[in-house]
Amino acid sequence: MIAPLLDPRSPVLITRPAGKADQLLASLDELAIPYLYQPLITTQLVPLKAKAGALLAQADQVIFVSVSAVSCLQQQYDCKNITAPLIAVGTTTATVLEKCSGREVLVPADQRSEGLLALPQLQDVVDKHIVIVRGNAGRELIKKGLQQRGAHIHYVQSYRRVPLPLDGQSLSDQWHQQHIQCIVVTSNEILQLIFELLPKEQHSWLQQQLWIMVSPRMKEAAIELGIDASRIYLSASANDQALLEAICQLRGTCHD
């Protein structure tokens, strides 16, 4: 896809959850790229269930799906007590997990659920007990994929995602006033929430924006919402560096 270049004066709308955009925003500041940061959801710690400690201690492998999964677990449980191999979906999650566990963490090259399932270490898992540390809801692909290979899957929920109390009309007015042309979304949940928050008469405006997304699955969801495929740009992954590179490419600038 050859995407149209963005007006360099137009701020990029960043919608990463509260507390998860610091590095990306710092990089945008450093490169003098204008942006508007508007988180739509935040994360809240969920008290661990009584059996969580036993599940983690007895696991054959432990998978962490996000930075929040790590940080909210670490506030309640010492990750150094986990002796099983550690796997993270993305590099940012792995960095945080390595710091609190003091151990090496495996990360797939393709930093999505599909890439994690392709790891050699997760092919022969018959009768293995695998714990997935995550938030509320989320994709079931990892669980289903590993169950089909004969693994026993256990969830440990350490946090939940909560929509922020926002007024959709106010958001719409602000985004128009700021001359937003590009919206960065990193989950289907955020994408859907944008369309739910903004008044229906603004949906045609949303459909005309340029969107940076992080997976083919998100692109499919966006198309179902009426966004033309030509308006959707997929970054290499959901990490900050990949998002920054996508923004720079759409602005017609390249940075080392």
Side-chain angles (χ1 to χ4, degrees):
M1 179 191 74
I2 300 175
L5 297 180
L6 296 173
D7 183 339
R9 298 166 297 179
S10 174
V12 177
L13 176 60
I14 308 295
T15 63
R16 296 210 81 165
K20 290 188 177 182
D22 295 350
Q23 184 177 335
L24 176 59
L25 301 185
S27 298
L28 292 172
D29 283 332
E30 185 177 348
L31 296 173
I33 295 175
Y35 64 85
L36 176 65
Y37 178 45
Q38 179 57 69
L40 302 179
I41 62 174
T42 188
T43 56
Q44 293 181 351
L45 181 146
V46 170
L48 297 179
K49 293 183 178 180
K51 63 179 181 180
L55 288 174
L56 291 165
Q58 297 166 12
D60 294 301
Q61 288 171 318
V62 181
I63 297 170
F64 289 80
V65 301
S66 68
V67 171
S68 294
V70 179
S71 60
C72 290
L73 178 70
Q74 175 65 12
Q75 293 178 54
Q76 310 175 72
Y77 181 87
D78 188 350
C79 291
K80 291 185 173 66
N81 291 333
I82 303 174
T83 58
L86 301 172
I87 304 173
V89 175
T91 53
T92 305
T93 301
T95 299
V96 175
L97 183 55
E98 286 176 347
K99 185 177 296 186
C100 72
S101 68
R103 296 171 49 209
E104 183 178 355
V105 177
L106 182 64
V107 187
D110 177 1
Q111 296 175 32
R112 298 178 297 146
S113 299
E114 292 84 352
L116 186 139
L117 287 171
L119 286 170
Q121 294 84 348
L122 290 177
Q123 301 311 304
D124 184 11
V125 292
V126 174
D127 286 333
K128 298 289 187 182
H129 289 269
I130 300 177
V131 171
I132 300 174
V133 184
R134 68 171 199 164
N136 55 312
R139 297 183 73 183
E140 297 291 320
L141 183 63
I142 297 174
K143 176 181 180 179
K144 291 179 179 178
L146 294 176
Q147 283 180 330
Q148 289 172 359
R149 298 172 190 175
H152 304 285
I153 306 302
H154 312 276
Y155 282 144
V156 167
Q157 182 185 348
S158 63
Y159 73 100
R160 65 188 180 103
R161 292 177 290 274
V162 181
L164 292 169
L166 298 168
D167 179 76
Q169 185 62 58
S170 297
L171 288 179
S172 176
D173 293 343
Q174 182 185 27
W175 296 352
H176 278 281
Q177 291 167 5
Q178 293 284 330
H179 302 292
I180 294 298
Q181 294 181 340
C182 178
I183 304 175
V184 178
V185 291
T186 52
S187 73
N188 278 9
E189 182 179 14
I190 294 173
L191 174 63
Q192 296 287 343
L193 192 54
I194 289 173
F195 276 80
E196 291 172 8
L197 277 169
L198 265 64
K200 287 188 177 181
E201 57 267 24
Q202 294 301 324
H203 287 189
S204 60
W205 178 82
L206 287 173
Q207 291 159 354
Q208 295 165 15
Q209 302 310 298
L210 189 64
W211 295 78
I212 295 176
M213 301 181 179
V214 300
S215 73
R217 188 174 65 96
M218 284 191 66
K219 182 175 182 178
E220 293 174 4
I223 291 172
E224 290 181 3
L225 288 169
I227 302 172
D228 191 85
S230 65
R231 308 298 298 167
I232 302 168
Y233 184 88
L234 294 184
S235 71
S237 76
N239 65 46
D240 291 326
Q241 185 59 38
L243 293 172
L244 178 64
E245 290 173 0
I247 293 169
C248 288
Q249 288 174 19
L250 294 187
R251 286 169 49 87
T253 57
C254 295
H255 300 275
D256 295 329

